[in-house]
């Protein structure tokens, strides 16, 4: 008998929206990203840290909350996120010419829930060239590796 088992829903999820998904829509070689951390648990998540690493040729310009910055690495302390609530950071980046198709390595969020660490990260956006113009779209969030169950024979 094969026990497939469903993966538990992630406790903490990182979402992102972009100001433009097509190169012609990029204004003044700048793009705005909004990163949102969602608490999908019935208890607060404390000590929430949101991190992101910008790709080469992408430069941090500004943010709604200034991050700790080490080169291309950015980190925001978001504090406590209450049950079923969220916290967001909006950042603006400058893009080199030609405009890169990858902005970052994908944001990640970490926190503490019931004395245990929780982790969430979306897949980086996928980009493709169509008619010689790059087009990017966000991918669906991926549950953290420890929450995925593997199929096993019983």
């Amino acid at each position: 008998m094969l026990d497939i088992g469903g993966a538990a829903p992630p406790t903490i999820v990182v979402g992102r929206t972009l100001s433009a998904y097509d190169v012609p829509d990029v204004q003044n070689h700048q793009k705005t990203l909004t990163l949102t951390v969602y608490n999908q648990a019935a208890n607060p998540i404390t000590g929430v840290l949101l991190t992101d690493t910008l790709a080469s040729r992408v430069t941090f310009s500004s943010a709604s909350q200034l991050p700790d910055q080490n080169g291309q690495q950015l980190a925001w302390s978001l504090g406590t996120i209450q049950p079923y609530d969220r916290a967001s950071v909006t950042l603006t980046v400058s893009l080199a010419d030609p405009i890169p198709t990858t902005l970052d390595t994908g944001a990640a969020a970490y926190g503490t829930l019931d004395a245990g660490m929780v982790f969430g990260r979306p897949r980086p956006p996928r980009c493709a060239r169509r008619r010689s113009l790059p087009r990017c779209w966000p991918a669906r969030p991926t549950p953290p590796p420890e929450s995925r169950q593997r199929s096993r024979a019983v």
Side-chain angles (χ1 to χ4, degrees):
M1 189 166 172
L2 191 62
D3 177 17
I4 302 291
T11 304
I12 191 170
V13 174
V14 180
R16 62 188 276 148
T17 57
L18 305 174
S19 60
Y21 290 91
D22 290 311
V23 170
D25 297 329
V26 173
Q27 301 292 318
N28 300 319
H29 285 272
Q30 290 195 326
K31 200 171 220 182
T32 301
L33 294 84
T34 300
L35 303 171
T36 303
V37 180
Y38 299 88
N39 176 359
Q40 298 188 134
N43 294 314
I45 298 177
T46 60
V48 177
L49 178 68
L50 172 64
T51 64
D52 199 4
T53 301
L54 300 177
S56 62
R57 301 178 45 235
V58 177
T59 306
F60 171 78
S61 294
S62 64
S64 57
Q65 175 184 336
L66 287 179
D68 289 330
Q69 184 175 5
N70 182 11
Q72 296 294 86
Q73 298 174 336
L74 308 173
W76 293 267
S77 291
L78 302 179
T80 298
I81 301 177
Q82 296 302 318
Y84 309 110
D85 203 359
R86 64 183 178 262
S88 295
V89 172
T90 300
L91 66 142
T92 301
V93 294
S94 296
L95 308 173
D97 197 17
I99 293 174
T101 57
T102 301
L103 299 177
D104 60 4
T105 59
Y110 308 85
T112 303
L113 174 67
D114 299 329
M117 187 184 106
V118 290
F119 168 83
R121 120 179 253 140
R123 294 180 189 152
R126 302 169 305 188
C127 298
R129 290 199 173 268
R130 186 174 184 184
R131 296 184 198 153
S132 77
L133 293 176
R135 177 174 175 84
C136 300
W137 58 94
R140 285 177 246 145
T142 302
E146 61 273 7
S147 74
R148 291 187 218 135
Q149 294 182 352
R150 295 184 181 163
S151 300
R152 61 183 176 93
V154 178

